[in-house]
Amino acid sequence: MRALHVRHIQDSLTRDYENLIDLTDYEGKPATQRQSAFFSRALAARAIQRFTDMSPADAARSVVDGFGDNGIDALAIDEENRRIVLVQSKLDNSGNAGLSQADALKIRNGCGDLFNMRFDRFSPALQARREQITAAMSDPAVTFIVVVATTGRSGLPNEASTVFDDFLSEVNETDPVVSLEVLGLKEFHSMVVEGTAGPSIEITVPIEQWGTVDLPFQAYYGLVQASEIASWYEHHGDRLFSQNLRKSLGNTDVNEGLTATLLNQGQHFWYFNNGITALCQSIKKTPRGGATHAYGDFVIDGVSVVNGAQTVASIHRAGKKNNEALSDARVWVRFISLEGCPPDFSIDVTRATNTQNSVENRDFVALDPQQERLRRDMLLSLHKQYSVKRGENPPAEADGCTVEDAVVALACAHDNTYYTVMSKSSVGRLSENTERAPYINLFNGGTTAYRVWRCVQVMRAVELDLQNRRPDLYDREFAIATHGNRVILQMVFNQLNLEKVSAPQYDWEIELARVHAVTGAVLDALIASVEESYTTSYLAPLFKNTAKCRHLVGEAQQKISSS
């Protein structure tokens, strides 16, 4: 039966990808080799479709398999959701083989080389996309899905599983940057039977304190335990959001805040969160729970979360860190049945629930009297604009800055590596509470308009200087200049005369003129320190680790002093 299912998958791949998969490197080779290469590459393209909205043609173009592919057969950049999908495909005609330890190590090593931007170790097809990949990986919020696509068994043998467990533990040391998905014979055959989108999702949901709306359209609402919602995402992934405007956005500041609340204040989560709205094809209550509204089990078919994707993904992420923390958390959920609804009703609900104005940290920051004082002083003393409220047009760089600019610049100028790392990995946490640190250490009565504007000037000068240097840097040096930009900024501030930063009469152009030389010295020292102390470390998570960054700053500053 397994071999038959493999043939079903191969027939489907032939139908969908014939004449789309590039096989020019197999010209003149035996037909059996060309066919094997086609199926392996088409399988990788199918996996890309599973995790993106790509067409078969676009998915086929994402294939980078070839001589020296270094364990990556396909790579797709999902710009909307700020993530990169990496696929290694293994064709197994028997349908019974498992992934070997050697294959797992090859995938791990290939991912490591990519994370460290060692592009020379990959196939020409991947190297041709170097600029696009580099731009995507320069986003500090980017996440990765590593997909093992095989027509063999879905479960990983212990040896391969250990390799991936160690790999994920290392790269996710500070943030959940990388996730692993295994698509085996069962999953690929289901795609053939049901289509690449997968079968309709049916879930059985225990709802507490439930209620119902019968007119004009049926809906149920109530409280659902967070662990239950985590299991939805565990089993169905982003397919839960098939009708939503967007999928999970990964490690955004808001999502990190949701995760932190779940882990630290699970019993309060219902009060702090707006909840989840899901559409479905039908809702049926089971006899369990009887007539009482205190508790009920509901069978819900054709589920799609149309508002609350970030809540669902954040709950799942928190459960990965500490599943027990979810036991006290409840989430407000409403299920709207589409039975008997007008044809466009689902679109109307999706649009309406996703276009309401949200409140962000910046809105609360705007209420702080210190910000109004700075806005006024910036205008009167420096003739510069300081944009604090959302909706205001941000000024041109020569004319002023925004409060977001100020937060990052002041954090790195504070000479506290914890704040520096936060400005890179979760900048929103710097201003999430205007009544306590770190915010009050950045913005207080001693924070002058001169300090804000001059720190922003330095930040922009350093970023421009790094931007100009990157074309001459390669591989890990490029990655250090990209992912380590905030650490570099902190060390540049350390070399400037910040004692004069608030002095109105001081000619700050003297300090700005030093930025180019200082940035170069700092970059060289940081590169040397990384290669001495963290030769094998993945660079993106390295610069989100406070302890390691503090050590790097100390080592690099010693090198600068001694030179």
Side-chain angles (χ1 to χ4, degrees):
M1 184 63 72
R2 285 182 170 271
L4 177 62
H5 284 183
V6 172
R7 288 197 294 274
H8 291 165
I9 294 169
Q10 291 175 334
D11 289 344
S12 173
L13 295 176
T14 301
R15 287 194 304 271
D16 289 348
Y17 296 103
E18 191 172 21
N19 301 322
L20 295 178
I21 298 295
D22 183 5
L23 294 172
T24 54
D25 54 331
Y26 275 81
E27 288 181 1
K29 294 187 177 181
T32 54
Q33 290 186 26
R34 287 178 58 85
Q35 184 183 60
S36 178
F38 168 80
F39 284 135
S40 178
R41 293 177 182 184
L43 193 71
R46 177 74 86 208
I48 290 293
Q49 280 196 279
R50 178 72 163 180
F51 293 97
T52 69
D53 296 326
M54 284 188 175
S55 66
D58 288 338
R61 282 191 285 270
S62 75
V63 174
V64 294
D65 176 47
F67 178 75
D69 61 44
N70 199 7
I72 297 180
D73 292 330
L75 183 151
I77 298 172
D78 183 356
E79 293 182 356
E80 180 183 356
N81 297 302
R82 305 170 80 179
R83 65 186 182 184
I84 298 175
V85 184
L86 309 173
V87 180
Q88 165 66 214
S89 63
K90 303 297 293 184
L91 189 68
D92 171 34
N93 290 321
S94 72
N96 200 44
L99 192 75
S100 70
Q101 184 183 47
D103 286 330
L105 287 168
K106 184 178 180 181
I107 298 169
R108 171 185 177 149
N109 294 338
C111 290
D113 285 338
L114 183 70
F115 296 165
N116 288 324
M117 298 187 181
R118 292 175 171 143
F119 290 99
D120 60 311
R121 301 187 179 187
F122 291 95
S123 67
L126 189 143
Q127 291 187 46
R129 300 175 59 192
R130 177 173 182 161
E131 184 175 343
Q132 179 192 22
I133 296 169
T134 297
M137 292 179 63
S138 298
D139 180 356
V142 73
T143 59
F144 298 84
I145 302 176
V146 177
V147 184
V148 176
T150 174
T151 50
R153 293 188 176 276
S154 303
L156 292 174
N158 289 337
E159 296 84 358
S161 182
T162 299
V163 171
F164 286 123
D165 287 346
D166 291 345
F167 169 61
L168 293 175
S169 176
E170 183 177 357
V171 296
N172 295 331
E173 181 180 6
T174 55
D175 286 310
V177 177
V178 182
S179 61
L180 175 71
E181 298 285 347
V182 181
L183 301 179
L185 179 65
K186 177 182 176 182
E187 289 76 20
F188 279 111
H189 194 260
S190 294
M191 294 181 214
V192 174
V193 175
E194 303 289 348
T196 56
S200 173
I201 295 175
E202 180 181 294
I203 56 177
T204 300
V205 185
I207 304 179
E208 303 171 14
Q209 307 299 320
W210 64 271
T212 182
V213 175
D214 295 320
L215 295 173
F217 310 116
Q218 186 184 48
Y220 286 85
Y221 56 87
L223 305 181
V224 178
Q225 191 172 35
S227 57
E228 182 72 24
I229 293 170
S231 72
W232 302 350
Y233 195 82
E234 181 72 24
H235 290 101
H236 305 291
D238 281 354
R239 288 182 52 235
L240 277 169
F241 317 133
S242 60
Q243 295 185 53
N244 201 355
L245 299 180
R246 59 188 181 184
K247 300 182 176 72
S248 166
L249 300 181
N251 303 327
T252 65
D253 295 331
V254 172
N255 291 353
E256 286 298 307
L258 290 173
T259 302
T261 300
L262 283 161
L263 293 175
N264 302 317
Q265 297 176 288
Q267 70 275 22
H268 296 158
F269 188 77
W270 179 86
Y271 299 95
F272 297 163
N273 183 258
N274 291 332
I276 297 167
T277 298
L279 300 177
C280 58
Q281 297 302 316
S282 66
I283 307 174
K284 294 182 175 63
K285 185 183 181 304
T286 71
R288 189 178 179 191
T292 175
H293 283 244
Y295 174 89
D297 267 357
F298 296 82
V299 177
I300 303 176
D301 185 43
V303 177
S304 178
V305 173
V306 296
N307 184 260
Q310 311 317 311
T311 296
V312 173
S314 297
I315 290 171
H316 178 258
R317 190 176 300 113
K320 287 291 186 182
K321 293 182 177 181
N322 182 4
N323 192 55
E324 293 182 1
L326 302 185
S327 59
D328 292 333
R330 299 293 186 272
V331 185
W332 177 261
V333 182
R334 58 175 180 164
F335 295 98
I336 301 173
S337 173
L338 296 177
E339 284 186 304
C341 293
D344 294 334
F345 185 69
S346 63
I347 297 174
D348 293 338
V349 172
T350 302
R351 182 183 296 113
T353 55
N354 284 281
T355 54
Q356 298 172 9
N357 294 328
S358 61
V359 178
E360 299 180 0
N361 282 349
R362 182 173 177 179
D363 299 315
F364 293 107
V365 168
L367 300 177
D368 179 19
Q370 298 291 351
Q371 296 297 334
E372 174 57 25
R373 175 183 62 80
L374 287 170
R375 187 197 64 78
R376 184 178 61 251
D377 290 352
M378 190 93 76
L379 183 62
L380 296 176
S381 302
L382 295 164
H383 309 293
K384 302 295 182 183
Q385 299 175 40
Y386 182 56
S387 174
V388 179
K389 295 182 179 180
R390 275 201 302 159
E392 296 176 339
N393 291 325
E397 287 198 357
D399 298 330
C401 64
T402 67
V403 67
E404 285 96 338
D405 296 328
V407 167
V408 174
L410 293 176
C412 294
H414 199 268
D415 197 23
N416 182 331
T417 306
Y418 175 66
Y419 290 176
T420 299
V421 170
M422 202 179 295
S423 75
K424 182 71 176 180
S425 61
S426 52
V427 66
R429 291 175 57 195
L430 290 167
S431 57
E432 66 183 356
N433 190 325
T434 59
E435 297 180 354
R436 65 185 185 190
Y439 178 85
I440 60 173
N441 289 336
L442 305 182
F443 297 98
N444 51 60
T447 307
T448 67
Y450 284 94
R451 180 179 180 86
V452 170
W453 175 241
R454 288 170 174 176
C455 286
V456 169
Q457 283 183 297
V458 172
M459 178 182 71
R460 289 172 175 172
V462 169
E463 195 55 56
L464 179 61
D465 195 75
L466 290 174
Q467 181 181 324
N468 292 335
R469 292 177 189 273
R470 286 181 190 124
D472 297 322
L473 301 174
Y474 296 93
D475 299 336
R476 280 174 67 85
E477 291 182 353
F478 183 100
I480 291 169
T482 299
H483 296 295
N485 63 331
R486 299 307 183 211
V487 169
I488 292 169
L489 177 58
Q490 178 189 339
M491 289 193 291
V492 169
F493 274 124
N494 288 342
Q495 301 300 312
L496 300 181
N497 189 359
L498 283 185
E499 291 183 0
K500 298 287 188 178
V501 73
S502 294
Q505 305 306 318
Y506 184 70
D507 185 1
W508 191 251
E509 294 300 320
I510 294 174
E511 303 304 317
L512 290 178
R514 297 178 56 208
V515 165
H516 174 71
V518 172
T519 301
V522 166
L523 178 59
D524 290 343
L526 183 61
I527 289 172
S529 298
V530 170
E531 294 310 321
E532 287 176 9
S533 301
Y534 302 102
T535 308
T536 61
S537 294
Y538 303 119
L539 295 175
L542 173 64
F543 287 106
K544 296 180 180 179
N545 185 304
T546 301
K548 291 180 179 179
C549 284
R550 187 174 286 121
H551 173 251
L552 282 172
V553 168
E555 291 291 312
Q557 286 180 336
Q558 283 186 6
K559 293 181 185 299
I560 294 170
S561 299
S562 63
S563 64

